[in-house]
Amino acid sequence: MSAPASSAADAAALYALQRAAFSAERYPSHAARRDRLDRLASLIDRHEPQIIAAIADDFGVRPPQETRLTELFVVDVALRHASRHLAAWMRSRRASTPLYLRPGRSWIERQALGVVGIVSPWNYPVQLALLPAIAALAAGNRAMIKPSEITPSTSALLATLVARYFSPGELAVVNGGADVGAAFARLPFDHLLFTGSTQVGRSIALAAAENLTPVTLELGGKSPALIHANADLAALSARLAVGKLLNAGQTCIAPDYALIPRQRAEALVQALQRAVARLYPAPIDNRDYASIIDERHYSRLVALLDDARAKGARVIALGTGTGPAGGGTRRMPPTLVLDVSDAMAVMQQEIFGPILPVETYATLDQAIERINARPRPLAMYMFGGSATERRRVLEQTIAGGVTLDDTLWHFSNENLPFGGVGASGYGAYHGERGFLTFSHQKPVFAQSRATPGRLLYPPYGERFEATLRLLKRIV
Ligand code: NAD
């Protein structure tokens, strides 16, 4: 296929190609897998300036440092981790064999599934397309990526680069919008990993169910930052601000809202004002602070603030700048929302922008109830608290993943599985967990010539009864 793939027909043709390629190599050697990972590493390494430029073109402003850290470094870490551990991940695992099956032996093989589909969103358009691909290729699969149409420059570059470094039967990109995405999700993949909104995730899971294709759903949600009464506000304010304002809040695991004891809310506002003034002075002009991706999302965020204001919230912009906000530039200052209530849209929907509502609580039990009253979030953050209080919150709330005394970092540890729970998704990847997501763990039992199993064969009678009595005694 010479022209870039961009239609449902292209996706179907690529799928057929990948299916045939997999049939010709169902268990790629360690060397073949390493070679694919190495080529992905070269792709990232040699084209860093182009990738940074494409993402900046799509966003308007996307600080190169943020792209280097959150896309290129993160992909590099995953590649090195997978390369280092690949041989160990590929090895079969011995399983113990109970007495009644001995002298037979048991083990578990890790086998590639076949052809994997990956549907990715716009907010980290390289990282969220390539991290699942690393796991799929390491596990010996073929993979097809459908990136977001909202980042056309990055998605086009991804297609060009992938076609340069991989045969279409190994790894391929199909570009297009919701229609291509819907046709893509109907292909009979051996596994489909979707990262994006809950609403689209639901339709992906429904389409995949037609083929009994297993799905991993990496969705979003309202991730709380729970601040205990004893937390050090000066210390946490920068960590909370950076977690919220990285990529201008367009991060699936960004702290969506803060929960703080009522009497400390004003002190938190002041601490955040100081932190934001230091980290992102004059945010509207600041090149270290990203733009909102498009007009639709910009208007959505403005509407969230208007709705909150109309329902009695106090809205505080943390710094401005000389340039115009909104109006084509899509620059939105970091904004706090106080005196919030559940009636406000900002407390009902995932914000996905640089707006931080501050909700107050009287007792820790009440804070826990507030978190549990909402759909299960992708992440939860907690600052301060005694060991007992922290244990209580960890046991009494359910979230995809947790960072304590900071934000976001749990995502970057390849030794931790990453994924949602409940409304924030199901399944997980990263590191070995990603390798297993795209593998079949095939149990094997090897019977011994000396098996006593024939004692249980018909014709049934006293021999069968005596053997079963004996087996019951030795289990
Ligand atoms: P989205 O659901 O609108 O789009 C994601 C992908 O699905 C895009 O490639 C899009 O083209 C495709 N798509 C759209 N409609 C489709 C359809 N009907 N059928 C098949 N495919 C379709 O999401 P988005 O706006 O790109 O991303 C933002 C969302 O993603 C937020 O909710 C965020 O929390 C979530 N997210 C989650 C993670 C995570 O790791 N869990 C990471 C980043 C973003």
Side-chain angles (χ1 to χ4, degrees):
M1 205 168 300
S2 47
S6 59
S7 67
D10 289 343
L14 277 171
Y15 174 82
L17 203 73
Q18 296 218 335
R19 172 68 54 213
F22 180 73
S23 297
E25 190 199 29
R26 292 195 181 88
Y27 193 87
S29 65
H30 176 266
R33 301 183 199 204
R34 260 307 289 267
D35 171 54
R36 287 171 194 155
L37 297 179
D38 289 348
R39 274 183 277 148
L40 209 44
S42 304
L43 182 159
I44 287 292
D45 189 47
R46 295 199 194 136
H47 302 280
E48 179 168 322
Q50 274 167 283
I51 293 171
I52 290 170
I55 297 181
D57 187 50
D58 286 326
F59 274 78
V61 178
R62 163 64 104 77
Q65 294 85 348
E66 287 193 0
T67 297
R68 283 168 48 217
L69 178 66
T70 65
E71 315 254 11
L72 303 171
F73 175 73
V74 167
V75 169
D76 191 43
V77 165
L79 279 166
R80 286 174 198 236
H81 184 83
S83 299
R84 198 174 308 132
H85 295 283
L86 185 59
W89 291 348
M90 286 173 67
R91 266 201 291 281
S92 298
R93 267 48 183 174
R94 188 187 302 279
S96 65
T97 301
L99 263 184
Y100 61 86
L101 286 176
R102 289 197 198 155
R105 288 179 305 116
S106 315
W107 68 92
I108 301 166
E109 307 216 340
R110 298 173 159 200
Q111 191 162 34
L113 292 171
V115 182
V116 163
I118 297 163
V119 180
S120 56
W122 54 265
N123 60 327
Y124 291 96
V126 168
Q127 187 229 109
L128 294 171
L130 295 187
L131 282 194
I134 292 169
L137 293 177
N141 300 278
R142 310 289 165 152
M144 293 170 57
I145 305 171
K146 209 303 275 166
S148 173
E149 70 283 16
I150 294 180
T151 47
S153 298
T154 311
S155 299
L157 178 65
L158 212 52
T160 306
L161 294 180
V162 165
R164 196 178 300 165
Y165 285 79
F166 291 91
S167 77
E170 284 176 316
L171 179 66
V173 173
V174 183
N175 272 314
D179 53 333
V180 174
F184 188 91
R186 284 195 297 271
L187 293 171
F189 288 114
D190 295 294
H191 196 99
L192 191 52
L193 184 144
F194 169 81
T195 306
S197 62
T198 305
Q199 186 197 348
V200 176
R202 188 172 286 122
S203 68
I204 293 266
L206 283 168
E210 280 289 334
N211 300 311
L212 297 182
T213 293
V215 179
T216 300
L217 291 183
E218 299 283 344
L219 312 176
K222 290 189 82 59
S223 301
L226 173 56
I227 300 169
H228 286 276
N230 70 346
D232 178 346
L233 297 184
L236 73 83
S237 55
R239 297 173 184 202
L240 183 57
V242 169
K244 184 75 201 185
L245 300 175
L246 185 80
N247 205 24
Q250 300 162 114
T251 302
C252 56
I253 51 170
D256 186 276
Y257 65 102
L259 267 165
I260 187 159
R262 193 165 298 140
Q263 68 280 10
R264 303 205 70 199
E266 287 307 323
L268 176 67
V269 171
Q270 285 160 24
L272 284 170
Q273 273 168 333
R274 279 193 293 274
V276 172
R278 200 169 61 242
L279 295 162
Y280 306 94
I284 298 299
D285 309 322
N286 196 318
R287 307 301 288 180
D288 291 343
Y289 179 64
S291 310
I292 304 305
I293 186 74
D294 62 14
E295 287 299 329
R296 185 173 67 86
H297 280 283
Y298 187 85
S299 313
R300 179 181 64 78
L301 293 167
V302 170
L304 284 181
L305 293 178
D306 290 345
D307 171 77
R309 241 186 243 107
K311 290 173 179 156
R314 255 189 312 145
V315 174
I316 305 173
L318 301 182
T320 52
T322 52
T329 66
R330 306 186 313 279
R331 309 285 283 152
M332 173 172 271
T335 306
L336 299 179
V337 184
L338 286 103
D339 306 328
V340 293
S341 75
D342 284 345
M344 299 169 186
V346 80
M347 294 313 292
Q348 295 165 2
Q349 306 163 14
E350 176 184 20
I351 294 171
F352 225 56
I355 299 171
L356 183 73
V358 177
E359 188 172 41
T360 60
Y361 65 84
T363 63
L364 188 56
D365 278 338
Q366 207 181 68
I368 290 171
E369 283 320 305
R370 296 307 302 151
I371 294 171
N372 287 328
R374 300 197 164 96
R376 290 174 177 174
L378 184 56
M380 204 270 292
Y381 303 110
M382 177 154 61
F383 293 93
S386 66
T388 319
E389 287 169 330
R390 286 154 83 101
R391 176 99 317 265
R392 213 160 117 238
V393 175
L394 283 173
E395 287 172 1
Q396 296 301 321
T397 62
I398 300 178
V402 174
T403 290
L404 299 177
D405 292 318
D406 208 333
T407 54
L408 313 183
W409 287 105
H410 64 284
F411 179 94
S412 71
N413 182 349
E414 287 287 308
N415 297 304
L416 294 175
F418 178 78
V421 57
S424 52
Y426 49 76
Y429 72 125
H430 287 200
E432 187 172 16
R433 184 53 211 273
F435 183 95
L436 292 176
T437 286
F438 296 117
S439 300
H440 173 52
Q441 295 196 69
K442 186 162 72 179
V444 181
F445 174 67
Q447 184 60 289
S448 156
R449 278 161 62 97
T451 174
R454 63 184 182 286
L455 299 177
L456 290 165
Y457 291 171
Y460 298 126
E462 189 39 41
R463 185 194 66 221
F464 176 92
E465 298 301 332
T467 308
L468 196 58
R469 268 198 306 276
L470 178 71
L471 291 186
K472 281 172 145 178
R473 249 184 278 132
I474 64 174
V475 284

